Amino acid sequence: TMTALRRLTWPEVLLLLLLSLTNYGLRGLRWHLFASRLGLPLSIGANLRHFLGGFAMSVTPGRVGELVRMRWIRRETGWPFDRTAPLALVDRASDLGAMALLLALALSFSATGIAGALPVAGLALIVAWAATRPALLHGFAGLGHRALGKRLPRLFARVRRAARAMSHFTSPTILILASGLGLIGWFAEGWAFYLLLGWMGADTGLWAAIAIFILATLAGGLTGAPGGLGGAEAAMVALLLLDGVPVEIALPATLIIRVTTLWFAIGLGRAVFPLAERFSKKTTHDLEND
């Protein structure tokens, strides 16, 4: 493992981080696109601050900690959670959809198949599609209200309001732009994984590397563990071994790519988080004075 690590140079490490930054930046622009479409009166700087700062809470079960972005938005605009919840939902669904499409594309171009990958891609696409259908969400709220409405009337009323807000994101132009940003962003990280494997001496093709990276990331998310910890790493190592990559390369490659993607994002979020907190509190104070 140490021998494999020593093969990397600082320029190579910096390139890996730069490709991760490309992913974060493009997905941040997508967040701004969705926020603008929803009607939030925030600048691109504010939206990027919220998006990047939320990464500090990625290592929480189901990444629910990233909903701290909604708190910052409420402080700065006065919008309640039920009005901004569709933003978080459509962002997560867009990631699922982009990753599923990229996985399907990688499998079609890869010389080696991966058992179980196509069902995972199909499931991710179905979930992404269902989560962004206003009619489905409204129907779910109606069923829930009839079953538990007397106990949780406000909850289902908020779900119905959120369902109506989802209609802002269903235009073909928005969907195409969002999908394009997500595809390019996740491709950048998959390409980084391909470069890393090559630098460490593995003979893995571009599309096979992308398929392994995306499938392992999705598998980690399905476990519900904070940040996909454990599940993503285990899946990545296993898939690399099945592809013929020696264990002395598979293990350090998995470690490094997780550091330059997940943990780099968390570190970036930790740097931005205090700024987002201070700015949102200052904005709240200014609004109260006005």
Side-chain angles (χ1 to χ4, degrees):
T1 298
M2 295 307 299
T3 300
L5 288 172
R6 283 194 210 81
R7 292 179 183 174
L8 294 182
T9 63
W10 281 111
E12 290 171 345
V13 174
L14 289 175
L15 180 56
L16 296 179
L17 297 178
L18 180 60
L19 289 171
S20 290
L21 276 176
T22 300
N23 183 27
Y24 310 151
L26 290 174
R27 288 164 58 203
L29 288 176
R30 186 186 64 194
W31 178 272
H32 175 65
L33 173 69
F34 289 147
S36 300
R37 186 69 179 179
L38 191 60
L40 280 168
L42 293 170
S43 65
I44 185 172
N47 284 322
L48 288 176
R49 183 174 64 247
H50 297 159
F51 181 76
L52 294 176
F55 283 154
M57 304 296 287
S58 294
V59 187
T60 50
R63 302 180 73 167
V64 295
E66 291 185 0
L67 292 177
V68 69
R69 295 164 179 156
M70 308 298 105
R71 182 177 68 175
W72 295 329
I73 292 173
R74 177 177 55 80
R75 287 175 176 175
E76 296 179 30
T77 65
W79 284 38
F81 179 80
D82 56 309
R83 290 186 68 185
T84 57
L87 178 58
L89 181 60
V90 74
D91 180 70
R92 188 60 54 83
S94 294
D95 267 340
L96 271 178
M99 294 172 76
L101 288 173
L102 186 58
L103 176 57
L105 184 66
L107 290 172
S108 66
F109 284 107
S110 176
T112 57
I114 300 177
L118 279 178
V120 171
L123 177 62
L125 276 176
I126 291 171
V127 172
W129 177 82
T132 55
R133 297 300 96 188
L136 286 177
L137 290 176
H138 198 276
F140 169 77
L143 289 173
H145 179 72
R146 285 191 289 273
L148 301 169
K150 293 182 179 180
R151 297 180 181 178
L152 302 168
R154 293 184 179 180
L155 172 63
F156 292 108
R158 290 175 178 175
V159 172
R160 283 195 294 269
R161 284 196 294 270
R164 288 193 294 269
M166 291 301 295
S167 61
H168 292 289
F169 310 116
T170 56
S171 82
T173 302
I174 295 298
L175 292 176
I176 291 172
L177 283 174
S179 298
L181 291 170
L183 279 170
I184 298 171
W186 286 107
F187 177 86
E189 287 198 350
W191 186 31
F193 190 47
Y194 162 72
L195 292 175
L196 174 63
L197 290 170
W199 294 334
M200 299 182 76
D203 185 21
T204 303
L206 171 63
W207 292 109
I210 291 175
I212 290 171
F213 175 78
I214 296 296
L215 181 57
T217 303
L218 287 172
L222 289 174
T223 65
L229 292 174
E233 289 83 0
M236 197 172 293
V237 171
L239 290 169
L240 286 172
L241 293 177
L242 289 173
D243 196 52
V245 178
V247 67
E248 60 268 22
I249 294 178
L251 284 173
T254 298
L255 169 66
I256 293 169
I257 200 64
R258 290 292 277 173
V259 169
T260 60
T261 54
L262 173 65
W263 292 104
F264 178 48
I266 293 171
L268 189 62
R270 294 275 295 190
V272 177
F273 190 96
L275 299 176
E277 275 287 297
R278 285 198 298 268
F279 193 92
S280 66
K281 289 179 180 178
K282 180 179 179 300
T283 306
T284 301
H285 177 71
D286 293 341
L287 289 173
E288 289 174 351
N289 287 340
D290 290 341

